[in-house]
Amino acid sequence: MSNTPMAASPLTRAVLEIDEYVSGLGWDQPARLFALVDTARLRAEQPSLADRLGLDDAAENPGLTPIEQDEVPTGKPLDEFLATIAWPDAVAGCALAVERLMLPPSAEAQVPQGLDEAALTKWVADHPDRQEVRMTVAVLRDGTRESALRLREKDSPTEVLTGSDLVPGLAEALAATFEE
């Protein structure tokens, strides 16, 4: 993608490319799952697919290529869905973009005790300090991870926060899709 900032690692570039793609679709989107494949390997093993994806020049497209997968089912909890995934050897990693509501750490002490999941979800949705956030999290087979967070109220490519440990629970769930 032309607006994706240059980043230090291929994984960071892939996460930012996915974030840019999903942000172009607008907010209130379903979760989106991506396979991450080695671009050079894809070009060598599947040149026609590489051509359709516009990956004809190695110098312009080094690193990882995200390939969006089928829709993530909305009626199933995300962790249960992820537990059903097994990737072929050609997949070097995977990524997931998902929107959630989050609260600042200062709100933790305000959470009422004894709420079930539905009541807690409603409480968070009604909280005046809630933030809508899009999280794009990626992991490689070797355990390397990267994340990008975009707040709806600061919806700009220059306001995207990146880091390897921003969403550790989701990164662990994605890493588990590579376990045998």
Side-chain angles (χ1 to χ4, degrees):
M1 304 253 168
S2 60
N3 294 328
T4 303
M6 283 307 296
S9 78
L11 187 57
T12 302
R13 285 191 299 273
V15 165
L16 290 171
E17 182 178 334
I18 293 167
D19 172 76
E20 180 183 355
Y21 165 73
V22 175
S23 87
L25 301 172
W27 284 87
D28 304 317
Q29 294 292 315
R32 295 179 182 278
L33 181 67
F34 298 82
L36 300 175
V37 297
D38 179 271
T39 303
R41 181 176 176 182
L42 175 65
R43 196 176 296 105
E45 294 177 5
Q46 297 189 31
S48 64
L49 176 59
D51 286 344
R52 282 191 311 229
L53 295 173
L55 304 176
D56 50 338
D57 186 355
E60 290 181 21
N61 295 299
L64 298 165
T65 297
I67 300 175
E68 189 169 6
Q69 303 301 292
D70 292 333
E71 287 187 23
V72 175
T74 56
K76 188 176 210 177
L78 195 54
D79 57 340
E80 289 179 23
F81 167 70
L82 291 175
T84 67
I85 295 174
W87 297 103
D89 290 340
V91 174
C94 66
L96 184 79
V98 63
E99 295 176 14
R100 292 291 185 257
L101 292 176
M102 70 175 205
L103 294 174
S106 59
E108 271 186 48
Q110 302 169 10
V111 177
Q113 297 299 311
L115 295 179
D116 65 13
E117 190 172 336
L120 179 59
T121 300
K122 181 172 178 6
W123 184 83
V124 170
D126 293 340
H127 196 283
D129 294 331
R130 74 187 178 286
Q131 293 278 330
E132 290 180 73
V133 63
R134 180 180 302 116
M135 303 173 284
T136 303
V137 179
V139 298
L140 297 179
R141 283 186 185 273
D142 69 5
T144 305
R145 354 173 132 183
E146 187 62 74
S147 305
L149 297 180
R150 182 187 290 251
L151 294 174
R152 189 172 190 155
E153 74 174 24
K154 294 182 179 184
D155 193 2
S156 163
T158 61
E159 295 289 337
V160 175
L161 179 65
T162 60
S164 61
D165 293 320
L166 298 177
V167 192
L170 184 52
E172 287 296 324
L174 289 171
T177 66
F178 292 104
E179 295 175 2
E180 308 246 344

PDB file of all heavy atoms in Angstrom, residues 37-76:
ATOM      1  N   VAL A  37       2.320 -14.627   4.211  1.00  0.00           N
ATOM      2  CA  VAL A  37       3.194 -15.510   3.456  1.00  0.00           C
ATOM      3  C   VAL A  37       4.453 -14.753   3.039  1.00  0.00           C
ATOM      4  O   VAL A  37       4.421 -13.536   2.826  1.00  0.00           O
ATOM      5  CB  VAL A  37       2.486 -16.115   2.227  1.00  0.00           C
ATOM      6  CG1 VAL A  37       1.324 -16.990   2.658  1.00  0.00           C
ATOM      7  CG2 VAL A  37       2.003 -15.043   1.281  1.00  0.00           C
ATOM      8  N   ASP A  38       5.547 -15.491   2.940  1.00  0.00           N
ATOM      9  CA  ASP A  38       6.796 -14.918   2.486  1.00  0.00           C
ATOM     10  C   ASP A  38       6.620 -14.505   1.020  1.00  0.00           C
ATOM     11  O   ASP A  38       6.283 -15.329   0.171  1.00  0.00           O
ATOM     12  CB  ASP A  38       7.918 -15.945   2.634  1.00  0.00           C
ATOM     13  CG  ASP A  38       9.234 -15.403   2.141  1.00  0.00           C
ATOM     14  OD1 ASP A  38       9.515 -15.568   0.931  1.00  0.00           O
ATOM     15  OD2 ASP A  38       9.965 -14.812   2.957  1.00  0.00           O
ATOM     16  N   THR A  39       6.827 -13.234   0.755  1.00  0.00           N
ATOM     17  CA  THR A  39       6.562 -12.691  -0.575  1.00  0.00           C
ATOM     18  C   THR A  39       7.435 -13.357  -1.640  1.00  0.00           C
ATOM     19  O   THR A  39       6.939 -13.720  -2.717  1.00  0.00           O
ATOM     20  CB  THR A  39       6.766 -11.165  -0.586  1.00  0.00           C
ATOM     21  OG1 THR A  39       5.910 -10.600   0.415  1.00  0.00           O
ATOM     22  CG2 THR A  39       6.434 -10.562  -1.931  1.00  0.00           C
ATOM     23  N   ALA A  40       8.711 -13.559  -1.355  1.00  0.00           N
ATOM     24  CA  ALA A  40       9.602 -14.185  -2.342  1.00  0.00           C
ATOM     25  C   ALA A  40       9.161 -15.620  -2.624  1.00  0.00           C
ATOM     26  O   ALA A  40       9.166 -16.066  -3.779  1.00  0.00           O
ATOM     27  CB  ALA A  40      11.043 -14.154  -1.844  1.00  0.00           C
ATOM     28  N   ARG A  41       8.765 -16.334  -1.577  1.00  0.00           N
ATOM     29  CA  ARG A  41       8.308 -17.719  -1.762  1.00  0.00           C
ATOM     30  C   ARG A  41       7.017 -17.751  -2.586  1.00  0.00           C
ATOM     31  O   ARG A  41       6.854 -18.581  -3.471  1.00  0.00           O
ATOM     32  CB  ARG A  41       8.109 -18.371  -0.396  1.00  0.00           C
ATOM     33  CG  ARG A  41       7.657 -19.802  -0.477  1.00  0.00           C
ATOM     34  CD  ARG A  41       7.559 -20.440   0.894  1.00  0.00           C
ATOM     35  NE  ARG A  41       7.030 -21.801   0.769  1.00  0.00           N
ATOM     36  CZ  ARG A  41       6.788 -22.587   1.783  1.00  0.00           C
ATOM     37  NH1 ARG A  41       7.037 -22.188   3.014  1.00  0.00           N
ATOM     38  NH2 ARG A  41       6.297 -23.783   1.576  1.00  0.00           N
ATOM     39  N   LEU A  42       6.110 -16.830  -2.278  1.00  0.00           N
ATOM     40  CA  LEU A  42       4.855 -16.753  -3.025  1.00  0.00           C
ATOM     41  C   LEU A  42       5.137 -16.493  -4.504  1.00  0.00           C
ATOM     42  O   LEU A  42       4.572 -17.132  -5.383  1.00  0.00           O
ATOM     43  CB  LEU A  42       3.958 -15.660  -2.442  1.00  0.00           C
ATOM     44  CG  LEU A  42       2.665 -15.378  -3.186  1.00  0.00           C
ATOM     45  CD1 LEU A  42       1.734 -16.587  -3.141  1.00  0.00           C
ATOM     46  CD2 LEU A  42       1.967 -14.155  -2.579  1.00  0.00           C
ATOM     47  N   ARG A  43       6.036 -15.553  -4.766  1.00  0.00           N
ATOM     48  CA  ARG A  43       6.370 -15.202  -6.141  1.00  0.00           C
ATOM     49  C   ARG A  43       6.976 -16.397  -6.871  1.00  0.00           C
ATOM     50  O   ARG A  43       6.666 -16.648  -8.029  1.00  0.00           O
ATOM     51  CB  ARG A  43       7.345 -14.024  -6.147  1.00  0.00           C
ATOM     52  CG  ARG A  43       7.460 -13.333  -7.477  1.00  0.00           C
ATOM     53  CD  ARG A  43       8.358 -12.106  -7.416  1.00  0.00           C
ATOM     54  NE  ARG A  43       7.811 -11.068  -6.550  1.00  0.00           N
ATOM     55  CZ  ARG A  43       8.269 -10.786  -5.321  1.00  0.00           C
ATOM     56  NH1 ARG A  43       9.279 -11.438  -4.812  1.00  0.00           N
ATOM     57  NH2 ARG A  43       7.731  -9.825  -4.613  1.00  0.00           N
ATOM     58  N   ALA A  44       7.831 -17.169  -6.170  1.00  0.00           N
ATOM     59  CA  ALA A  44       8.498 -18.315  -6.797  1.00  0.00           C
ATOM     60  C   ALA A  44       7.548 -19.493  -7.006  1.00  0.00           C
ATOM     61  O   ALA A  44       7.599 -20.159  -8.034  1.00  0.00           O
ATOM     62  CB  ALA A  44       9.685 -18.753  -5.941  1.00  0.00           C
ATOM     63  N   GLU A  45       6.682 -19.759  -5.999  1.00  0.00           N
ATOM     64  CA  GLU A  45       5.835 -20.954  -6.045  1.00  0.00           C
ATOM     65  C   GLU A  45       4.481 -20.738  -6.721  1.00  0.00           C
ATOM     66  O   GLU A  45       3.882 -21.693  -7.215  1.00  0.00           O
ATOM     67  CB  GLU A  45       5.632 -21.501  -4.632  1.00  0.00           C
ATOM     68  CG  GLU A  45       6.921 -22.019  -4.018  1.00  0.00           C
ATOM     69  CD  GLU A  45       6.750 -22.504  -2.592  1.00  0.00           C
ATOM     70  OE1 GLU A  45       5.600 -22.529  -2.074  1.00  0.00           O
ATOM     71  OE2 GLU A  45       7.777 -22.870  -1.981  1.00  0.00           O
ATOM     72  N   GLN A  46       3.987 -19.501  -6.706  1.00  0.00           N
ATOM     73  CA  GLN A  46       2.686 -19.218  -7.303  1.00  0.00           C
ATOM     74  C   GLN A  46       2.740 -17.896  -8.066  1.00  0.00           C
ATOM     75  O   GLN A  46       2.109 -16.911  -7.665  1.00  0.00           O
ATOM     76  CB  GLN A  46       1.607 -19.183  -6.224  1.00  0.00           C
ATOM     77  CG  GLN A  46       1.436 -20.517  -5.525  1.00  0.00           C
ATOM     78  CD  GLN A  46       0.220 -20.517  -4.619  1.00  0.00           C
ATOM     79  OE1 GLN A  46      -0.777 -19.852  -4.879  1.00  0.00           O
ATOM     80  NE2 GLN A  46       0.302 -21.294  -3.556  1.00  0.00           N
ATOM     81  N   PRO A  47       3.481 -17.866  -9.167  1.00  0.00           N
ATOM     82  CA  PRO A  47       3.667 -16.601  -9.883  1.00  0.00           C
ATOM     83  C   PRO A  47       2.368 -15.975 -10.380  1.00  0.00           C
ATOM     84  O   PRO A  47       2.247 -14.749 -10.400  1.00  0.00           O
ATOM     85  CB  PRO A  47       4.602 -16.963 -11.044  1.00  0.00           C
ATOM     86  CG  PRO A  47       4.605 -18.449 -11.118  1.00  0.00           C
ATOM     87  CD  PRO A  47       4.188 -18.975  -9.784  1.00  0.00           C
ATOM     88  N   SER A  48       1.374 -16.790 -10.764  1.00  0.00           N
ATOM     89  CA  SER A  48       0.129 -16.184 -11.252  1.00  0.00           C
ATOM     90  C   SER A  48      -0.611 -15.482 -10.118  1.00  0.00           C
ATOM     91  O   SER A  48      -1.163 -14.400 -10.308  1.00  0.00           O
ATOM     92  CB  SER A  48      -0.759 -17.223 -11.935  1.00  0.00           C
ATOM     93  OG  SER A  48      -1.172 -18.212 -11.016  1.00  0.00           O
ATOM     94  N   LEU A  49      -0.620 -16.076  -8.940  1.00  0.00           N
ATOM     95  CA  LEU A  49      -1.240 -15.414  -7.785  1.00  0.00           C
ATOM     96  C   LEU A  49      -0.456 -14.151  -7.428  1.00  0.00           C
ATOM     97  O   LEU A  49      -1.047 -13.103  -7.154  1.00  0.00           O
ATOM     98  CB  LEU A  49      -1.311 -16.363  -6.589  1.00  0.00           C
ATOM     99  CG  LEU A  49      -1.847 -15.759  -5.284  1.00  0.00           C
ATOM    100  CD1 LEU A  49      -3.260 -15.202  -5.474  1.00  0.00           C
ATOM    101  CD2 LEU A  49      -1.814 -16.792  -4.167  1.00  0.00           C
ATOM    102  N   ALA A  50       0.856 -14.238  -7.436  1.00  0.00           N
ATOM    103  CA  ALA A  50       1.689 -13.065  -7.149  1.00  0.00           C
ATOM    104  C   ALA A  50       1.398 -11.943  -8.132  1.00  0.00           C
ATOM    105  O   ALA A  50       1.314 -10.774  -7.747  1.00  0.00           O
ATOM    106  CB  ALA A  50       3.165 -13.451  -7.175  1.00  0.00           C
ATOM    107  N   ASP A  51       1.213 -12.294  -9.401  1.00  0.00           N
ATOM    108  CA  ASP A  51       0.879 -11.274 -10.411  1.00  0.00           C
ATOM    109  C   ASP A  51      -0.473 -10.633 -10.114  1.00  0.00           C
ATOM    110  O   ASP A  51      -0.620  -9.414 -10.202  1.00  0.00           O
ATOM    111  CB  ASP A  51       0.856 -11.881 -11.822  1.00  0.00           C
ATOM    112  CG  ASP A  51       2.247 -12.177 -12.341  1.00  0.00           C
ATOM    113  OD1 ASP A  51       3.224 -11.652 -11.772  1.00  0.00           O
ATOM    114  OD2 ASP A  51       2.345 -12.952 -13.316  1.00  0.00           O
ATOM    115  N   ARG A  52      -1.473 -11.460  -9.752  1.00  0.00           N
ATOM    116  CA  ARG A  52      -2.809 -10.913  -9.425  1.00  0.00           C
ATOM    117  C   ARG A  52      -2.741  -9.989  -8.217  1.00  0.00           C
ATOM    118  O   ARG A  52      -3.514  -9.037  -8.108  1.00  0.00           O
ATOM    119  CB  ARG A  52      -3.799 -12.040  -9.158  1.00  0.00           C
ATOM    120  CG  ARG A  52      -4.292 -12.695 -10.428  1.00  0.00           C
ATOM    121  CD  ARG A  52      -5.456 -13.597 -10.134  1.00  0.00           C
ATOM    122  NE  ARG A  52      -5.151 -14.468  -9.010  1.00  0.00           N
ATOM    123  CZ  ARG A  52      -5.335 -15.783  -8.986  1.00  0.00           C
ATOM    124  NH1 ARG A  52      -5.870 -16.388 -10.003  1.00  0.00           N
ATOM    125  NH2 ARG A  52      -5.015 -16.490  -7.940  1.00  0.00           N
ATOM    126  N   LEU A  53      -1.815 -10.277  -7.297  1.00  0.00           N
ATOM    127  CA  LEU A  53      -1.664  -9.438  -6.103  1.00  0.00           C
ATOM    128  C   LEU A  53      -0.739  -8.246  -6.345  1.00  0.00           C
ATOM    129  O   LEU A  53      -0.517  -7.444  -5.453  1.00  0.00           O
ATOM    130  CB  LEU A  53      -1.129 -10.280  -4.931  1.00  0.00           C
ATOM    131  CG  LEU A  53      -2.053 -11.381  -4.426  1.00  0.00           C
ATOM    132  CD1 LEU A  53      -1.337 -12.249  -3.398  1.00  0.00           C
ATOM    133  CD2 LEU A  53      -3.324 -10.799  -3.846  1.00  0.00           C
ATOM    134  N   GLY A  54      -0.182  -8.160  -7.547  1.00  0.00           N
ATOM    135  CA  GLY A  54       0.704  -7.048  -7.874  1.00  0.00           C
ATOM    136  C   GLY A  54       2.089  -7.201  -7.270  1.00  0.00           C
ATOM    137  O   GLY A  54       2.754  -6.213  -6.969  1.00  0.00           O
ATOM    138  N   LEU A  55       2.546  -8.427  -7.099  1.00  0.00           N
ATOM    139  CA  LEU A  55       3.838  -8.689  -6.458  1.00  0.00           C
ATOM    140  C   LEU A  55       4.885  -9.105  -7.477  1.00  0.00           C
ATOM    141  O   LEU A  55       5.645 -10.032  -7.275  1.00  0.00           O
ATOM    142  CB  LEU A  55       3.693  -9.810  -5.421  1.00  0.00           C
ATOM    143  CG  LEU A  55       2.648  -9.587  -4.341  1.00  0.00           C
ATOM    144  CD1 LEU A  55       2.540 -10.804  -3.454  1.00  0.00           C
ATOM    145  CD2 LEU A  55       2.962  -8.350  -3.542  1.00  0.00           C
ATOM    146  N   ASP A  56       4.982  -8.380  -8.574  1.00  0.00           N
ATOM    147  CA  ASP A  56       5.862  -8.799  -9.656  1.00  0.00           C
ATOM    148  C   ASP A  56       7.301  -8.317  -9.509  1.00  0.00           C
ATOM    149  O   ASP A  56       8.169  -8.774 -10.203  1.00  0.00           O
ATOM    150  CB  ASP A  56       5.294  -8.362 -11.007  1.00  0.00           C
ATOM    151  CG  ASP A  56       4.899  -6.903 -11.028  1.00  0.00           C
ATOM    152  OD1 ASP A  56       4.660  -6.337  -9.951  1.00  0.00           O
ATOM    153  OD2 ASP A  56       4.815  -6.327 -12.118  1.00  0.00           O
ATOM    154  N   ASP A  57       7.602  -7.421  -8.579  1.00  0.00           N
ATOM    155  CA  ASP A  57       8.963  -6.909  -8.427  1.00  0.00           C
ATOM    156  C   ASP A  57       9.448  -7.126  -6.999  1.00  0.00           C
ATOM    157  O   ASP A  57       8.965  -6.505  -6.064  1.00  0.00           O
ATOM    158  CB  ASP A  57       9.001  -5.424  -8.793  1.00  0.00           C
ATOM    159  CG  ASP A  57      10.412  -4.860  -8.793  1.00  0.00           C
ATOM    160  OD1 ASP A  57      11.362  -5.583  -8.419  1.00  0.00           O
ATOM    161  OD2 ASP A  57      10.567  -3.693  -9.175  1.00  0.00           O
ATOM    162  N   ALA A  58      10.431  -7.985  -6.829  1.00  0.00           N
ATOM    163  CA  ALA A  58      10.949  -8.319  -5.497  1.00  0.00           C
ATOM    164  C   ALA A  58      11.491  -7.095  -4.773  1.00  0.00           C
ATOM    165  O   ALA A  58      11.388  -6.991  -3.563  1.00  0.00           O
ATOM    166  CB  ALA A  58      12.028  -9.390  -5.610  1.00  0.00           C
ATOM    167  N   ALA A  59      12.088  -6.182  -5.492  1.00  0.00           N
ATOM    168  CA  ALA A  59      12.663  -5.007  -4.848  1.00  0.00           C
ATOM    169  C   ALA A  59      11.589  -4.135  -4.210  1.00  0.00           C
ATOM    170  O   ALA A  59      11.824  -3.480  -3.203  1.00  0.00           O
ATOM    171  CB  ALA A  59      13.464  -4.196  -5.858  1.00  0.00           C
ATOM    172  N   GLU A  60      10.379  -4.129  -4.808  1.00  0.00           N
ATOM    173  CA  GLU A  60       9.309  -3.292  -4.274  1.00  0.00           C
ATOM    174  C   GLU A  60       8.474  -4.004  -3.219  1.00  0.00           C
ATOM    175  O   GLU A  60       7.755  -3.372  -2.466  1.00  0.00           O
ATOM    176  CB  GLU A  60       8.381  -2.846  -5.413  1.00  0.00           C
ATOM    177  CG  GLU A  60       9.024  -1.861  -6.359  1.00  0.00           C
ATOM    178  CD  GLU A  60       8.057  -1.433  -7.436  1.00  0.00           C
ATOM    179  OE1 GLU A  60       6.840  -1.567  -7.248  1.00  0.00           O
ATOM    180  OE2 GLU A  60       8.537  -0.952  -8.473  1.00  0.00           O
ATOM    181  N   ASN A  61       8.531  -5.319  -3.165  1.00  0.00           N
ATOM    182  CA  ASN A  61       7.666  -6.076  -2.266  1.00  0.00           C
ATOM    183  C   ASN A  61       8.418  -7.126  -1.450  1.00  0.00           C
ATOM    184  O   ASN A  61       8.086  -8.291  -1.480  1.00  0.00           O
ATOM    185  CB  ASN A  61       6.568  -6.778  -3.076  1.00  0.00           C
ATOM    186  CG  ASN A  61       5.648  -5.791  -3.742  1.00  0.00           C
ATOM    187  OD1 ASN A  61       5.005  -5.019  -3.068  1.00  0.00           O
ATOM    188  ND2 ASN A  61       5.612  -5.812  -5.056  1.00  0.00           N
ATOM    189  N   PRO A  62       9.459  -6.760  -0.724  1.00  0.00           N
ATOM    190  CA  PRO A  62      10.135  -7.748   0.101  1.00  0.00           C
ATOM    191  C   PRO A  62       9.300  -8.039   1.348  1.00  0.00           C
ATOM    192  O   PRO A  62       8.402  -7.289   1.686  1.00  0.00           O
ATOM    193  CB  PRO A  62      11.442  -7.044   0.479  1.00  0.00           C
ATOM    194  CG  PRO A  62      11.060  -5.599   0.532  1.00  0.00           C
ATOM    195  CD  PRO A  62      10.036  -5.430  -0.570  1.00  0.00           C
ATOM    196  N   GLY A  63       9.595  -9.131   1.998  1.00  0.00           N
ATOM    197  CA  GLY A  63       8.959  -9.374   3.281  1.00  0.00           C
ATOM    198  C   GLY A  63       7.761 -10.284   3.224  1.00  0.00           C
ATOM    199  O   GLY A  63       7.801 -11.353   2.630  1.00  0.00           O
ATOM    200  N   LEU A  64       6.669  -9.841   3.830  1.00  0.00           N
ATOM    201  CA  LEU A  64       5.481 -10.654   4.016  1.00  0.00           C
ATOM    202  C   LEU A  64       4.300 -10.069   3.249  1.00  0.00           C
ATOM    203  O   LEU A  64       4.122  -8.851   3.214  1.00  0.00           O
ATOM    204  CB  LEU A  64       5.131 -10.731   5.504  1.00  0.00           C
ATOM    205  CG  LEU A  64       6.189 -11.376   6.394  1.00  0.00           C
ATOM    206  CD1 LEU A  64       5.915 -11.072   7.854  1.00  0.00           C
ATOM    207  CD2 LEU A  64       6.229 -12.878   6.140  1.00  0.00           C
ATOM    208  N   THR A  65       3.498 -10.946   2.688  1.00  0.00           N
ATOM    209  CA  THR A  65       2.289 -10.532   1.989  1.00  0.00           C
ATOM    210  C   THR A  65       1.081 -11.019   2.774  1.00  0.00           C
ATOM    211  O   THR A  65       0.946 -12.222   3.004  1.00  0.00           O
ATOM    212  CB  THR A  65       2.247 -11.130   0.567  1.00  0.00           C
ATOM    213  OG1 THR A  65       3.356 -10.613  -0.179  1.00  0.00           O
ATOM    214  CG2 THR A  65       0.945 -10.770  -0.141  1.00  0.00           C
ATOM    215  N   PRO A  66       0.212 -10.102   3.225  1.00  0.00           N
ATOM    216  CA  PRO A  66      -1.025 -10.519   3.900  1.00  0.00           C
ATOM    217  C   PRO A  66      -2.059 -10.960   2.874  1.00  0.00           C
ATOM    218  O   PRO A  66      -2.248 -10.296   1.851  1.00  0.00           O
ATOM    219  CB  PRO A  66      -1.500  -9.252   4.621  1.00  0.00           C
ATOM    220  CG  PRO A  66      -0.494  -8.193   4.354  1.00  0.00           C
ATOM    221  CD  PRO A  66       0.414  -8.666   3.274  1.00  0.00           C
ATOM    222  N   ILE A  67      -2.705 -12.090   3.139  1.00  0.00           N
ATOM    223  CA  ILE A  67      -3.771 -12.594   2.277  1.00  0.00           C
ATOM    224  C   ILE A  67      -5.000 -12.815   3.145  1.00  0.00           C
ATOM    225  O   ILE A  67      -4.994 -13.660   4.046  1.00  0.00           O
ATOM    226  CB  ILE A  67      -3.357 -13.897   1.568  1.00  0.00           C
ATOM    227  CG1 ILE A  67      -2.112 -13.632   0.708  1.00  0.00           C
ATOM    228  CG2 ILE A  67      -4.503 -14.441   0.724  1.00  0.00           C
ATOM    229  CD1 ILE A  67      -1.538 -14.863   0.051  1.00  0.00           C
ATOM    230  N   GLU A  68      -6.044 -12.014   2.873  1.00  0.00           N
ATOM    231  CA  GLU A  68      -7.256 -12.112   3.691  1.00  0.00           C
ATOM    232  C   GLU A  68      -7.924 -13.468   3.496  1.00  0.00           C
ATOM    233  O   GLU A  68      -8.037 -13.976   2.384  1.00  0.00           O
ATOM    234  CB  GLU A  68      -8.229 -10.986   3.359  1.00  0.00           C
ATOM    235  CG  GLU A  68      -9.393 -10.932   4.322  1.00  0.00           C
ATOM    236  CD  GLU A  68     -10.249  -9.684   4.193  1.00  0.00           C
ATOM    237  OE1 GLU A  68     -10.023  -8.875   3.269  1.00  0.00           O
ATOM    238  OE2 GLU A  68     -11.159  -9.529   5.031  1.00  0.00           O
ATOM    239  N   GLN A  69      -8.380 -14.028   4.602  1.00  0.00           N
ATOM    240  CA  GLN A  69      -9.035 -15.328   4.611  1.00  0.00           C
ATOM    241  C   GLN A  69     -10.548 -15.140   4.571  1.00  0.00           C
ATOM    242  O   GLN A  69     -11.058 -14.025   4.583  1.00  0.00           O
ATOM    243  CB  GLN A  69      -8.627 -16.099   5.870  1.00  0.00           C
ATOM    244  CG  GLN A  69      -7.116 -16.275   5.996  1.00  0.00           C
ATOM    245  CD  GLN A  69      -6.509 -17.025   4.826  1.00  0.00           C
ATOM    246  OE1 GLN A  69      -6.755 -18.210   4.663  1.00  0.00           O
ATOM    247  NE2 GLN A  69      -5.737 -16.333   4.001  1.00  0.00           N
ATOM    248  N   ASP A  70     -11.273 -16.258   4.559  1.00  0.00           N
ATOM    249  CA  ASP A  70     -12.732 -16.205   4.593  1.00  0.00           C
ATOM    250  C   ASP A  70     -13.194 -15.459   5.833  1.00  0.00           C
ATOM    251  O   ASP A  70     -12.447 -15.296   6.795  1.00  0.00           O
ATOM    252  CB  ASP A  70     -13.317 -17.618   4.600  1.00  0.00           C
ATOM    253  CG  ASP A  70     -13.078 -18.327   3.268  1.00  0.00           C
ATOM    254  OD1 ASP A  70     -12.950 -17.634   2.248  1.00  0.00           O
ATOM    255  OD2 ASP A  70     -13.025 -19.563   3.268  1.00  0.00           O
ATOM    256  N   GLU A  71     -14.446 -15.057   5.825  1.00  0.00           N
ATOM    257  CA  GLU A  71     -14.999 -14.295   6.936  1.00  0.00           C
ATOM    258  C   GLU A  71     -14.874 -15.031   8.259  1.00  0.00           C
ATOM    259  O   GLU A  71     -15.020 -16.249   8.328  1.00  0.00           O
ATOM    260  CB  GLU A  71     -16.480 -14.000   6.683  1.00  0.00           C
ATOM    261  CG  GLU A  71     -16.695 -12.959   5.632  1.00  0.00           C
ATOM    262  CD  GLU A  71     -18.161 -12.569   5.512  1.00  0.00           C
ATOM    263  OE1 GLU A  71     -18.921 -12.756   6.473  1.00  0.00           O
ATOM    264  OE2 GLU A  71     -18.525 -12.078   4.446  1.00  0.00           O
ATOM    265  N   VAL A  72     -14.605 -14.270   9.300  1.00  0.00           N
ATOM    266  CA  VAL A  72     -14.589 -14.802  10.651  1.00  0.00           C
ATOM    267  C   VAL A  72     -16.045 -14.901  11.094  1.00  0.00           C
ATOM    268  O   VAL A  72     -16.793 -13.923  10.993  1.00  0.00           O
ATOM    269  CB  VAL A  72     -13.796 -13.865  11.592  1.00  0.00           C
ATOM    270  CG1 VAL A  72     -13.878 -14.328  13.031  1.00  0.00           C
ATOM    271  CG2 VAL A  72     -12.351 -13.751  11.120  1.00  0.00           C
ATOM    272  N   PRO A  73     -16.483 -16.077  11.581  1.00  0.00           N
ATOM    273  CA  PRO A  73     -17.887 -16.207  11.968  1.00  0.00           C
ATOM    274  C   PRO A  73     -18.234 -15.281  13.143  1.00  0.00           C
ATOM    275  O   PRO A  73     -17.477 -15.165  14.092  1.00  0.00           O
ATOM    276  CB  PRO A  73     -18.023 -17.679  12.378  1.00  0.00           C
ATOM    277  CG  PRO A  73     -16.647 -18.197  12.545  1.00  0.00           C
ATOM    278  CD  PRO A  73     -15.721 -17.288  11.804  1.00  0.00           C
ATOM    279  N   THR A  74     -19.374 -14.605  13.022  1.00  0.00           N
ATOM    280  CA  THR A  74     -19.766 -13.649  14.065  1.00  0.00           C
ATOM    281  C   THR A  74     -20.499 -14.312  15.221  1.00  0.00           C
ATOM    282  O   THR A  74     -20.547 -13.766  16.302  1.00  0.00           O
ATOM    283  CB  THR A  74     -20.655 -12.535  13.478  1.00  0.00           C
ATOM    284  OG1 THR A  74     -21.778 -13.141  12.836  1.00  0.00           O
ATOM    285  CG2 THR A  74     -19.888 -11.681  12.489  1.00  0.00           C
ATOM    286  N   GLY A  75     -21.066 -15.482  15.027  1.00  0.00           N
ATOM    287  CA  GLY A  75     -21.840 -16.127  16.076  1.00  0.00           C
ATOM    288  C   GLY A  75     -21.028 -16.992  17.010  1.00  0.00           C
ATOM    289  O   GLY A  75     -21.583 -17.638  17.897  1.00  0.00           O
ATOM    290  N   LYS A  76     -19.723 -17.019  16.834  1.00  0.00           N
ATOM    291  CA  LYS A  76     -18.860 -17.882  17.641  1.00  0.00           C
ATOM    292  C   LYS A  76     -17.836 -17.006  18.352  1.00  0.00           C
ATOM    293  O   LYS A  76     -17.268 -16.100  17.731  1.00  0.00           O
ATOM    294  CB  LYS A  76     -18.152 -18.870  16.709  1.00  0.00           C
ATOM    295  CG  LYS A  76     -17.377 -19.947  17.380  1.00  0.00           C
ATOM    296  CD  LYS A  76     -16.812 -20.895  16.326  1.00  0.00           C
ATOM    297  CE  LYS A  76     -16.689 -22.277  16.923  1.00  0.00           C
ATOM    298  NZ  LYS A  76     -16.217 -23.254  15.950  1.00  0.00           N
TER     299      LYS A  76
END
